[in-house]
PDB file of all heavy atoms in Angstrom:
ATOM      1  N   SER W 655       7.321 -14.138 -32.849  1.00 42.00           N
ATOM      2  CA  SER W 655       6.019 -14.556 -32.574  1.00 42.00           C
ATOM      3  C   SER W 655       5.899 -15.872 -31.744  1.00 42.00           C
ATOM      4  O   SER W 655       4.977 -16.107 -31.134  1.00 42.00           O
ATOM      5  CB  SER W 655       5.286 -14.809 -33.941  1.00 42.00           C
ATOM      6  OG  SER W 655       5.964 -15.778 -34.724  1.00 42.00           O
ATOM      7  N   THR W 656       6.907 -16.643 -31.961  1.00 48.00           N
ATOM      8  CA  THR W 656       6.958 -17.893 -31.167  1.00 48.00           C
ATOM      9  C   THR W 656       7.365 -17.814 -29.683  1.00 48.00           C
ATOM     10  O   THR W 656       7.101 -18.655 -28.866  1.00 48.00           O
ATOM     11  CB  THR W 656       7.740 -18.952 -31.905  1.00 48.00           C
ATOM     12  OG1 THR W 656       9.071 -18.464 -32.051  1.00 48.00           O
ATOM     13  CG2 THR W 656       7.108 -19.335 -33.318  1.00 48.00           C
ATOM     14  N   THR W 657       8.086 -16.783 -29.335  1.00 51.00           N
ATOM     15  CA  THR W 657       8.649 -16.626 -28.011  1.00 51.00           C
ATOM     16  C   THR W 657       7.777 -15.727 -27.203  1.00 51.00           C
ATOM     17  O   THR W 657       7.985 -15.685 -25.951  1.00 51.00           O
ATOM     18  CB  THR W 657      10.084 -16.043 -28.145  1.00 51.00           C
ATOM     19  OG1 THR W 657      10.121 -14.807 -28.801  1.00 51.00           O
ATOM     20  CG2 THR W 657      11.014 -17.053 -28.773  1.00 51.00           C
ATOM     21  N   ARG W 658       6.872 -14.956 -27.749  1.00 51.00           N
ATOM     22  CA  ARG W 658       6.045 -14.037 -27.033  1.00 51.00           C
ATOM     23  C   ARG W 658       4.883 -14.803 -26.257  1.00 51.00           C
ATOM     24  O   ARG W 658       4.198 -15.559 -26.866  1.00 51.00           O
ATOM     25  CB  ARG W 658       5.429 -13.057 -27.938  1.00 51.00           C
ATOM     26  CG  ARG W 658       4.625 -12.011 -27.168  1.00 51.00           C
ATOM     27  CD  ARG W 658       3.988 -10.975 -28.184  1.00 51.00           C
ATOM     28  NE  ARG W 658       4.952 -10.302 -28.963  1.00 51.00           N
ATOM     29  CZ  ARG W 658       4.733  -9.771 -30.160  1.00 51.00           C
ATOM     30  NH1 ARG W 658       3.531  -9.823 -30.729  1.00 51.00           N
ATOM     31  NH2 ARG W 658       5.739  -9.226 -30.829  1.00 51.00           N
ATOM     32  N   THR W 659       4.907 -14.707 -25.058  1.00 54.00           N
ATOM     33  CA  THR W 659       3.909 -15.519 -24.173  1.00 54.00           C
ATOM     34  C   THR W 659       2.819 -14.577 -23.692  1.00 54.00           C
ATOM     35  O   THR W 659       3.073 -13.570 -23.126  1.00 54.00           O
ATOM     36  CB  THR W 659       4.701 -16.049 -22.930  1.00 54.00           C
ATOM     37  OG1 THR W 659       5.756 -16.963 -23.414  1.00 54.00           O
ATOM     38  CG2 THR W 659       3.623 -16.957 -22.153  1.00 54.00           C
ATOM     39  N   PRO W 660       1.479 -14.870 -24.046  1.00 48.00           N
ATOM     40  CA  PRO W 660       0.432 -13.948 -23.613  1.00 48.00           C
ATOM     41  C   PRO W 660       0.323 -14.168 -22.131  1.00 48.00           C
ATOM     42  O   PRO W 660       0.639 -15.081 -21.428  1.00 48.00           O
ATOM     43  CB  PRO W 660      -0.847 -14.693 -24.372  1.00 48.00           C
ATOM     44  CG  PRO W 660      -0.381 -16.045 -24.582  1.00 48.00           C
ATOM     45  CD  PRO W 660       1.104 -16.021 -24.792  1.00 48.00           C
ATOM     46  N   PRO W 661      -0.276 -12.994 -21.506  1.00 51.00           N
ATOM     47  CA  PRO W 661      -0.408 -13.045 -20.083  1.00 51.00           C
ATOM     48  C   PRO W 661      -1.508 -14.181 -19.654  1.00 51.00           C
ATOM     49  O   PRO W 661      -2.414 -14.339 -20.317  1.00 51.00           O
ATOM     50  CB  PRO W 661      -0.896 -11.632 -19.798  1.00 51.00           C
ATOM     51  CG  PRO W 661      -1.561 -11.190 -21.032  1.00 51.00           C
ATOM     52  CD  PRO W 661      -0.749 -11.809 -22.000  1.00 51.00           C
ATOM     53  N   THR W 662      -1.163 -14.661 -18.472  1.00 55.00           N
ATOM     54  CA  THR W 662      -2.129 -15.651 -17.943  1.00 55.00           C
ATOM     55  C   THR W 662      -3.322 -15.024 -17.460  1.00 55.00           C
ATOM     56  O   THR W 662      -3.144 -14.144 -16.374  1.00 55.00           O
ATOM     57  CB  THR W 662      -1.368 -16.474 -16.873  1.00 55.00           C
ATOM     58  OG1 THR W 662      -0.218 -17.100 -17.400  1.00 55.00           O
ATOM     59  CG2 THR W 662      -2.363 -17.665 -16.307  1.00 55.00           C
ATOM     60  N   LEU W 663      -4.498 -15.351 -17.870  1.00 57.00           N
ATOM     61  CA  LEU W 663      -5.686 -14.699 -17.406  1.00 57.00           C
ATOM     62  C   LEU W 663      -6.251 -15.449 -16.259  1.00 57.00           C
ATOM     63  O   LEU W 663      -7.031 -16.383 -16.342  1.00 57.00           O
ATOM     64  CB  LEU W 663      -6.690 -14.702 -18.487  1.00 57.00           C
ATOM     65  CG  LEU W 663      -6.381 -13.707 -19.715  1.00 57.00           C
ATOM     66  CD1 LEU W 663      -7.555 -13.788 -20.812  1.00 57.00           C
ATOM     67  CD2 LEU W 663      -6.192 -12.273 -19.307  1.00 57.00           C
ATOM     68  N   ALA W 664      -5.826 -15.106 -15.038  1.00 63.00           N
ATOM     69  CA  ALA W 664      -6.349 -15.770 -13.853  1.00 63.00           C
ATOM     70  C   ALA W 664      -6.581 -14.609 -12.782  1.00 63.00           C
ATOM     71  O   ALA W 664      -5.955 -13.571 -12.801  1.00 63.00           O
ATOM     72  CB  ALA W 664      -5.223 -16.592 -13.235  1.00 63.00           C
ATOM     73  N   PRO W 665      -7.681 -14.846 -12.053  1.00 65.00           N
ATOM     74  CA  PRO W 665      -8.139 -13.833 -11.101  1.00 65.00           C
ATOM     75  C   PRO W 665      -6.984 -13.595 -10.199  1.00 65.00           C
ATOM     76  O   PRO W 665      -6.224 -14.476  -9.905  1.00 65.00           O
ATOM     77  CB  PRO W 665      -9.314 -14.441 -10.480  1.00 65.00           C
ATOM     78  CG  PRO W 665      -9.808 -15.495 -11.310  1.00 65.00           C
ATOM     79  CD  PRO W 665      -8.550 -15.992 -12.119  1.00 65.00           C
ATOM     80  N   PRO W 666      -6.838 -12.318  -9.737  1.00 69.00           N
ATOM     81  CA  PRO W 666      -7.777 -11.170  -9.982  1.00 69.00           C
ATOM     82  C   PRO W 666      -7.336 -10.380 -11.332  1.00 69.00           C
ATOM     83  O   PRO W 666      -6.186 -10.091 -11.413  1.00 69.00           O
ATOM     84  CB  PRO W 666      -7.528 -10.143  -8.825  1.00 69.00           C
ATOM     85  CG  PRO W 666      -6.123 -10.496  -8.331  1.00 69.00           C
ATOM     86  CD  PRO W 666      -5.816 -11.856  -8.620  1.00 69.00           C
ATOM     87  N   LEU W 667      -8.286 -10.303 -12.119  1.00 70.00           N
ATOM     88  CA  LEU W 667      -8.047  -9.446 -13.299  1.00 70.00           C
ATOM     89  C   LEU W 667      -8.089  -7.976 -13.032  1.00 70.00           C
ATOM     90  O   LEU W 667      -7.508  -7.154 -13.680  1.00 70.00           O
ATOM     91  CB  LEU W 667      -9.149  -9.668 -14.320  1.00 70.00           C
ATOM     92  CG  LEU W 667      -9.154 -11.132 -14.797  1.00 70.00           C
ATOM     93  CD1 LEU W 667     -10.314 -11.282 -15.831  1.00 70.00           C
ATOM     94  CD2 LEU W 667      -7.859 -11.628 -15.387  1.00 70.00           C
ATOM     95  N   PHE W 668      -8.812  -7.513 -11.889  1.00 75.00           N
ATOM     96  CA  PHE W 668      -8.650  -6.238 -11.398  1.00 75.00           C
ATOM     97  C   PHE W 668      -8.877  -6.307  -9.850  1.00 75.00           C
ATOM     98  O   PHE W 668      -9.576  -7.190  -9.332  1.00 75.00           O
ATOM     99  CB  PHE W 668      -9.627  -5.234 -12.078  1.00 75.00           C
ATOM    100  CG  PHE W 668     -11.041  -5.953 -12.096  1.00 75.00           C
ATOM    101  CD1 PHE W 668     -11.854  -6.108 -11.086  1.00 75.00           C
ATOM    102  CD2 PHE W 668     -11.447  -6.364 -13.404  1.00 75.00           C
ATOM    103  CE1 PHE W 668     -13.118  -6.648 -11.108  1.00 75.00           C
ATOM    104  CE2 PHE W 668     -12.677  -6.963 -13.555  1.00 75.00           C
ATOM    105  CZ  PHE W 668     -13.561  -7.099 -12.391  1.00 75.00           C
ATOM    106  N   ASN W 669      -8.253  -5.326  -9.132  1.00 84.00           N
ATOM    107  CA  ASN W 669      -8.600  -5.140  -7.751  1.00 84.00           C
ATOM    108  C   ASN W 669     -10.086  -4.663  -7.554  1.00 84.00           C
ATOM    109  O   ASN W 669     -10.610  -4.216  -8.457  1.00 84.00           O
ATOM    110  CB  ASN W 669      -7.605  -4.317  -7.043  1.00 84.00           C
ATOM    111  CG  ASN W 669      -6.227  -4.875  -7.230  1.00 84.00           C
ATOM    112  OD1 ASN W 669      -6.019  -6.131  -7.219  1.00 84.00           O
ATOM    113  ND2 ASN W 669      -5.110  -4.082  -7.195  1.00 84.00           N
ATOM    114  N   PHE W 670     -10.412  -4.541  -6.387  1.00 89.00           N
ATOM    115  CA  PHE W 670     -11.846  -4.067  -6.068  1.00 89.00           C
ATOM    116  C   PHE W 670     -11.935  -3.545  -4.724  1.00 89.00           C
ATOM    117  O   PHE W 670     -10.994  -3.736  -3.855  1.00 89.00           O
ATOM    118  CB  PHE W 670     -12.932  -5.247  -6.288  1.00 89.00           C
ATOM    119  CG  PHE W 670     -12.583  -6.323  -5.346  1.00 89.00           C
ATOM    120  CD1 PHE W 670     -13.282  -6.425  -4.084  1.00 89.00           C
ATOM    121  CD2 PHE W 670     -11.932  -7.387  -5.735  1.00 89.00           C
ATOM    122  CE1 PHE W 670     -13.125  -7.518  -3.272  1.00 89.00           C
ATOM    123  CE2 PHE W 670     -11.673  -8.483  -4.940  1.00 89.00           C
ATOM    124  CZ  PHE W 670     -12.293  -8.481  -3.678  1.00 89.00           C
ATOM    125  N   THR W 671     -12.943  -2.694  -4.499  1.00 91.00           N
ATOM    126  CA  THR W 671     -13.260  -2.123  -3.167  1.00 91.00           C
ATOM    127  C   THR W 671     -14.713  -2.451  -2.835  1.00 91.00           C
ATOM    128  O   THR W 671     -15.471  -2.902  -3.623  1.00 91.00           O
ATOM    129  CB  THR W 671     -13.042  -0.648  -3.217  1.00 91.00           C
ATOM    130  OG1 THR W 671     -13.984  -0.067  -4.056  1.00 91.00           O
ATOM    131  CG2 THR W 671     -11.745  -0.161  -3.567  1.00 91.00           C
ATOM    132  N   LEU W 672     -14.960  -2.628  -1.393  1.00 93.00           N
ATOM    133  CA  LEU W 672     -16.242  -2.848  -0.956  1.00 93.00           C
ATOM    134  C   LEU W 672     -16.803  -1.674  -0.220  1.00 93.00           C
ATOM    135  O   LEU W 672     -15.960  -1.007   0.332  1.00 93.00           O
ATOM    136  CB  LEU W 672     -16.175  -4.074  -0.067  1.00 93.00           C
ATOM    137  CG  LEU W 672     -15.713  -5.393  -0.543  1.00 93.00           C
ATOM    138  CD1 LEU W 672     -15.527  -6.405   0.499  1.00 93.00           C
ATOM    139  CD2 LEU W 672     -16.680  -5.803  -1.692  1.00 93.00           C
ATOM    140  N   ASN W 673     -18.028  -1.474  -0.366  1.00 91.00           N
ATOM    141  CA  ASN W 673     -18.740  -0.338   0.361  1.00 91.00           C
ATOM    142  C   ASN W 673     -20.147  -0.836   0.735  1.00 91.00           C
ATOM    143  O   ASN W 673     -20.525  -1.869   0.293  1.00 91.00           O
ATOM    144  CB  ASN W 673     -18.707   0.948  -0.638  1.00 91.00           C
ATOM    145  CG  ASN W 673     -19.000   2.242   0.126  1.00 91.00           C
ATOM    146  OD1 ASN W 673     -19.180   2.177   1.291  1.00 91.00           O
ATOM    147  ND2 ASN W 673     -19.103   3.236  -0.562  1.00 91.00           N
ATOM    148  N   SER W 674     -20.746   0.040   1.575  1.00 91.00           N
ATOM    149  CA  SER W 674     -22.123  -0.343   2.050  1.00 91.00           C
ATOM    150  C   SER W 674     -22.978   0.884   2.103  1.00 91.00           C
ATOM    151  O   SER W 674     -22.361   1.983   2.078  1.00 91.00           O
ATOM    152  CB  SER W 674     -22.125  -0.943   3.394  1.00 91.00           C
ATOM    153  OG  SER W 674     -21.658  -0.123   4.328  1.00 91.00           O
ATOM    154  N   GLY W 675     -24.205   0.812   2.087  1.00 90.00           N
ATOM    155  CA  GLY W 675     -25.197   1.866   2.252  1.00 90.00           C
ATOM    156  C   GLY W 675     -26.515   1.348   2.769  1.00 90.00           C
ATOM    157  O   GLY W 675     -26.781   0.120   2.732  1.00 90.00           O
ATOM    158  N   PRO W 676     -27.307   2.201   3.498  1.00 91.00           N
ATOM    159  CA  PRO W 676     -26.876   3.569   3.778  1.00 91.00           C
ATOM    160  C   PRO W 676     -25.881   3.818   4.840  1.00 91.00           C
ATOM    161  O   PRO W 676     -25.430   2.907   5.383  1.00 91.00           O
ATOM    162  CB  PRO W 676     -28.346   4.212   4.151  1.00 91.00           C
ATOM    163  CG  PRO W 676     -29.009   2.952   4.777  1.00 91.00           C
ATOM    164  CD  PRO W 676     -28.626   1.752   3.946  1.00 91.00           C
ATOM    165  N   SER W 677     -25.630   5.065   5.076  1.00 87.00           N
ATOM    166  CA  SER W 677     -24.636   5.334   6.019  1.00 87.00           C
ATOM    167  C   SER W 677     -25.030   4.869   7.522  1.00 87.00           C
ATOM    168  O   SER W 677     -24.167   4.557   8.284  1.00 87.00           O
ATOM    169  CB  SER W 677     -24.271   6.755   6.080  1.00 87.00           C
ATOM    170  OG  SER W 677     -25.360   7.596   6.298  1.00 87.00           O
ATOM    171  N   THR W 678     -26.331   4.931   7.845  1.00 92.00           N
ATOM    172  CA  THR W 678     -26.866   4.457   9.020  1.00 92.00           C
ATOM    173  C   THR W 678     -27.756   3.326   8.747  1.00 92.00           C
ATOM    174  O   THR W 678     -28.766   3.441   7.999  1.00 92.00           O
ATOM    175  CB  THR W 678     -27.621   5.676   9.737  1.00 92.00           C
ATOM    176  OG1 THR W 678     -26.710   6.734  10.032  1.00 92.00           O
ATOM    177  CG2 THR W 678     -28.097   5.126  11.099  1.00 92.00           C
ATOM    178  N   ILE W 679     -27.498   2.179   9.407  1.00 95.00           N
ATOM    179  CA  ILE W 679     -28.360   0.962   9.142  1.00 95.00           C
ATOM    180  C   ILE W 679     -28.950   0.567  10.508  1.00 95.00           C
ATOM    181  O   ILE W 679     -28.255   0.216  11.425  1.00 95.00           O
ATOM    182  CB  ILE W 679     -27.432  -0.152   8.588  1.00 95.00           C
ATOM    183  CG1 ILE W 679     -26.867   0.150   7.313  1.00 95.00           C
ATOM    184  CG2 ILE W 679     -28.261  -1.446   8.437  1.00 95.00           C
ATOM    185  CD1 ILE W 679     -25.941  -0.840   6.716  1.00 95.00           C
ATOM    186  N   LEU W 680     -30.288   0.755  10.550  1.00 97.00           N
ATOM    187  CA  LEU W 680     -31.044   0.455  11.802  1.00 97.00           C
ATOM    188  C   LEU W 680     -31.882  -0.798  11.800  1.00 97.00           C
ATOM    189  O   LEU W 680     -32.285  -1.151  10.638  1.00 97.00           O
ATOM    190  CB  LEU W 680     -31.978   1.628  12.032  1.00 97.00           C
ATOM    191  CG  LEU W 680     -31.357   2.923  12.311  1.00 97.00           C
ATOM    192  CD1 LEU W 680     -32.468   4.027  12.763  1.00 97.00           C
ATOM    193  CD2 LEU W 680     -30.258   2.995  13.362  1.00 97.00           C
ATOM    194  N   ILE W 681     -32.013  -1.438  12.822  1.00 98.00           N
ATOM    195  CA  ILE W 681     -32.947  -2.598  12.824  1.00 98.00           C
ATOM    196  C   ILE W 681     -33.357  -2.746  14.375  1.00 98.00           C
ATOM    197  O   ILE W 681     -32.593  -2.264  15.329  1.00 98.00           O
ATOM    198  CB  ILE W 681     -32.273  -3.886  12.360  1.00 98.00           C
ATOM    199  CG1 ILE W 681     -33.342  -5.005  12.133  1.00 98.00           C
ATOM    200  CG2 ILE W 681     -31.150  -4.418  13.246  1.00 98.00           C
ATOM    201  CD1 ILE W 681     -32.790  -6.125  11.380  1.00 98.00           C
ATOM    202  N   ALA W 682     -34.510  -3.382  14.603  1.00 98.00           N
ATOM    203  CA  ALA W 682     -35.024  -3.588  15.938  1.00 98.00           C
ATOM    204  C   ALA W 682     -34.932  -5.120  16.219  1.00 98.00           C
ATOM    205  O   ALA W 682     -34.970  -5.876  15.184  1.00 98.00           O
ATOM    206  CB  ALA W 682     -36.447  -3.075  16.039  1.00 98.00           C
ATOM    207  N   PRO W 683     -34.954  -5.517  17.452  1.00 98.00           N
ATOM    208  CA  PRO W 683     -34.940  -6.951  17.642  1.00 98.00           C
ATOM    209  C   PRO W 683     -36.108  -7.536  17.222  1.00 98.00           C
ATOM    210  O   PRO W 683     -37.276  -7.099  17.236  1.00 98.00           O
ATOM    211  CB  PRO W 683     -34.913  -6.963  19.290  1.00 98.00           C
ATOM    212  CG  PRO W 683     -34.252  -5.617  19.732  1.00 98.00           C
ATOM    213  CD  PRO W 683     -34.762  -4.718  18.744  1.00 98.00           C
ATOM    214  N   GLY W 684     -35.984  -8.804  16.624  1.00 97.00           N
ATOM    215  CA  GLY W 684     -37.045  -9.526  16.086  1.00 97.00           C
ATOM    216  C   GLY W 684     -37.553  -9.122  14.689  1.00 97.00           C
ATOM    217  O   GLY W 684     -38.595  -9.584  14.168  1.00 97.00           O
ATOM    218  N   ARG W 685     -36.831  -8.179  14.039  1.00 97.00           N
ATOM    219  CA  ARG W 685     -37.299  -7.657  12.757  1.00 97.00           C
ATOM    220  C   ARG W 685     -36.345  -8.226  11.785  1.00 97.00           C
ATOM    221  O   ARG W 685     -35.111  -8.552  11.896  1.00 97.00           O
ATOM    222  CB  ARG W 685     -37.137  -6.201  12.729  1.00 97.00           C
ATOM    223  CG  ARG W 685     -38.088  -5.452  13.709  1.00 97.00           C
ATOM    224  CD  ARG W 685     -39.467  -5.484  13.163  1.00 97.00           C
ATOM    225  NE  ARG W 685     -39.662  -4.915  11.768  1.00 97.00           N
ATOM    226  CZ  ARG W 685     -39.996  -3.541  11.628  1.00 97.00           C
ATOM    227  NH1 ARG W 685     -39.996  -2.689  12.557  1.00 97.00           N
ATOM    228  NH2 ARG W 685     -40.094  -3.105  10.289  1.00 97.00           N
ATOM    229  N   THR W 686     -36.791  -8.347  10.484  1.00 96.00           N
ATOM    230  CA  THR W 686     -36.092  -8.711   9.306  1.00 96.00           C
ATOM    231  C   THR W 686     -36.307  -7.586   8.200  1.00 96.00           C
ATOM    232  O   THR W 686     -37.562  -7.362   7.973  1.00 96.00           O
ATOM    233  CB  THR W 686     -36.485 -10.107   8.777  1.00 96.00           C
ATOM    234  OG1 THR W 686     -36.026 -11.134   9.645  1.00 96.00           O
ATOM    235  CG2 THR W 686     -35.797 -10.314   7.519  1.00 96.00           C
ATOM    236  N   LEU W 687     -35.298  -7.037   7.733  1.00 95.00           N
ATOM    237  CA  LEU W 687     -35.364  -5.909   6.792  1.00 95.00           C
ATOM    238  C   LEU W 687     -34.582  -6.303   5.571  1.00 95.00           C
ATOM    239  O   LEU W 687     -33.555  -6.820   5.692  1.00 95.00           O
ATOM    240  CB  LEU W 687     -35.109  -4.526   7.409  1.00 95.00           C
ATOM    241  CG  LEU W 687     -35.931  -4.145   8.536  1.00 95.00           C
ATOM    242  CD1 LEU W 687     -35.283  -2.733   9.211  1.00 95.00           C
ATOM    243  CD2 LEU W 687     -37.316  -3.947   8.224  1.00 95.00           C
ATOM    244  N   ILE W 688     -35.011  -5.693   4.435  1.00 92.00           N
ATOM    245  CA  ILE W 688     -34.194  -5.776   3.179  1.00 92.00           C
ATOM    246  C   ILE W 688     -34.132  -4.465   2.697  1.00 92.00           C
ATOM    247  O   ILE W 688     -34.956  -3.904   2.056  1.00 92.00           O
ATOM    248  CB  ILE W 688     -34.807  -6.692   2.190  1.00 92.00           C
ATOM    249  CG1 ILE W 688     -34.974  -8.197   2.709  1.00 92.00           C
ATOM    250  CG2 ILE W 688     -33.986  -6.673   0.830  1.00 92.00           C
ATOM    251  CD1 ILE W 688     -35.762  -9.051   1.779  1.00 92.00           C
ATOM    252  N   TYR W 689     -33.008  -3.821   2.961  1.00 91.00           N
ATOM    253  CA  TYR W 689     -32.776  -2.440   2.429  1.00 91.00           C
ATOM    254  C   TYR W 689     -31.258  -2.052   2.401  1.00 91.00           C
ATOM    255  O   TYR W 689     -30.830  -1.256   1.563  1.00 91.00           O
ATOM    256  CB  TYR W 689     -33.535  -1.290   3.150  1.00 91.00           C
ATOM    257  CG  TYR W 689     -32.948  -0.959   4.537  1.00 91.00           C
ATOM    258  CD1 TYR W 689     -32.049   0.128   4.706  1.00 91.00           C
ATOM    259  CD2 TYR W 689     -33.240  -1.625   5.709  1.00 91.00           C
ATOM    260  CE1 TYR W 689     -31.602   0.467   5.927  1.00 91.00           C
ATOM    261  CE2 TYR W 689     -32.819  -1.348   6.837  1.00 91.00           C
ATOM    262  CZ  TYR W 689     -31.966  -0.246   7.048  1.00 91.00           C
ATOM    263  OH  TYR W 689     -31.545   0.194   8.249  1.00 91.00           O
ATOM    264  N   PRO W 690     -30.400  -2.738   3.351  1.00 92.00           N
ATOM    265  CA  PRO W 690     -28.943  -2.275   3.079  1.00 92.00           C
ATOM    266  C   PRO W 690     -28.390  -2.907   1.942  1.00 92.00           C
ATOM    267  O   PRO W 690     -28.959  -3.972   1.381  1.00 92.00           O
ATOM    268  CB  PRO W 690     -28.302  -2.902   4.439  1.00 92.00           C
ATOM    269  CG  PRO W 690     -29.501  -3.300   5.368  1.00 92.00           C
ATOM    270  CD  PRO W 690     -30.703  -3.474   4.499  1.00 92.00           C
ATOM    271  N   GLN W 691     -27.277  -2.459   1.409  1.00 91.00           N
ATOM    272  CA  GLN W 691     -26.605  -2.945   0.273  1.00 91.00           C
ATOM    273  C   GLN W 691     -25.154  -3.054   0.468  1.00 91.00           C
ATOM    274  O   GLN W 691     -24.555  -2.181   1.165  1.00 91.00           O
ATOM    275  CB  GLN W 691     -26.988  -2.247  -0.962  1.00 91.00           C
ATOM    276  CG  GLN W 691     -28.280  -2.394  -1.525  1.00 91.00           C
ATOM    277  CD  GLN W 691     -28.542  -1.768  -2.834  1.00 91.00           C
ATOM    278  OE1 GLN W 691     -27.656  -1.257  -3.457  1.00 91.00           O
ATOM    279  NE2 GLN W 691     -29.815  -1.755  -3.391  1.00 91.00           N
ATOM    280  N   VAL W 692     -24.430  -3.978  -0.209  1.00 92.00           N
ATOM    281  CA  VAL W 692     -23.118  -3.995  -0.235  1.00 92.00           C
ATOM    282  C   VAL W 692     -22.647  -3.901  -1.708  1.00 92.00           C
ATOM    283  O   VAL W 692     -23.255  -4.581  -2.616  1.00 92.00           O
ATOM    284  CB  VAL W 692     -22.435  -5.454   0.337  1.00 92.00           C
ATOM    285  CG1 VAL W 692     -20.995  -5.455  -0.040  1.00 92.00           C
ATOM    286  CG2 VAL W 692     -22.613  -5.326   1.770  1.00 92.00           C
ATOM    287  N   THR W 693     -21.714  -3.008  -2.016  1.00 91.00           N
ATOM    288  CA  THR W 693     -21.330  -2.817  -3.398  1.00 91.00           C
ATOM    289  C   THR W 693     -19.830  -3.175  -3.588  1.00 91.00           C
ATOM    290  O   THR W 693     -18.997  -2.848  -2.790  1.00 91.00           O
ATOM    291  CB  THR W 693     -21.518  -1.293  -3.667  1.00 91.00           C
ATOM    292  OG1 THR W 693     -22.885  -0.868  -3.478  1.00 91.00           O
ATOM    293  CG2 THR W 693     -21.120  -0.953  -5.183  1.00 91.00           C
ATOM    294  N   VAL W 694     -19.626  -3.837  -4.829  1.00 91.00           N
ATOM    295  CA  VAL W 694     -18.241  -4.311  -5.180  1.00 91.00           C
ATOM    296  C   VAL W 694     -17.811  -3.307  -6.332  1.00 91.00           C
ATOM    297  O   VAL W 694     -18.523  -3.340  -7.411  1.00 91.00           O
ATOM    298  CB  VAL W 694     -18.262  -5.711  -5.628  1.00 91.00           C
ATOM    299  CG1 VAL W 694     -16.720  -6.095  -6.022  1.00 91.00           C
ATOM    300  CG2 VAL W 694     -18.804  -6.639  -4.585  1.00 91.00           C
ATOM    301  N   THR W 695     -16.912  -2.572  -6.161  1.00 88.00           N
ATOM    302  CA  THR W 695     -16.470  -1.596  -7.224  1.00 88.00           C
ATOM    303  C   THR W 695     -15.095  -2.099  -7.744  1.00 88.00           C
ATOM    304  O   THR W 695     -14.135  -2.069  -7.002  1.00 88.00           O
ATOM    305  CB  THR W 695     -16.338  -0.203  -6.632  1.00 88.00           C
ATOM    306  OG1 THR W 695     -17.612   0.155  -6.023  1.00 88.00           O
ATOM    307  CG2 THR W 695     -15.977   0.828  -7.718  1.00 88.00           C
ATOM    308  N   PRO W 696     -14.978  -2.374  -9.057  1.00 85.00           N
ATOM    309  CA  PRO W 696     -13.663  -2.749  -9.670  1.00 85.00           C
ATOM    310  C   PRO W 696     -12.758  -1.554  -9.673  1.00 85.00           C
ATOM    311  O   PRO W 696     -13.085  -0.400  -9.869  1.00 85.00           O
ATOM    312  CB  PRO W 696     -14.011  -3.252 -11.008  1.00 85.00           C
ATOM    313  CG  PRO W 696     -15.241  -2.557 -11.324  1.00 85.00           C
ATOM    314  CD  PRO W 696     -16.029  -2.265 -10.141  1.00 85.00           C
ATOM    315  N   LEU W 697     -11.409  -1.760  -9.684  1.00 83.00           N
ATOM    316  CA  LEU W 697     -10.428  -0.731  -9.785  1.00 83.00           C
ATOM    317  C   LEU W 697      -9.645  -1.046 -11.055  1.00 83.00           C
ATOM    318  O   LEU W 697      -9.519  -2.261 -11.479  1.00 83.00           O
ATOM    319  CB  LEU W 697      -9.451  -0.658  -8.619  1.00 83.00           C
ATOM    320  CG  LEU W 697     -10.115  -0.379  -7.260  1.00 83.00           C
ATOM    321  CD1 LEU W 697      -9.102  -0.495  -6.118  1.00 83.00           C
ATOM    322  CD2 LEU W 697     -10.723   0.957  -7.260  1.00 83.00           C
TER     323      LEU W 697
END
């Protein structure tokens, strides 16, 4: 019990992937839109 060392909890605790949507993101000059998203998915 005295020699067992617990794992060090330091990031990264898990890997992750990044994704975006929608598949086609359109915008016109001079426009501001809020509809695309970026998603972080843990592995």
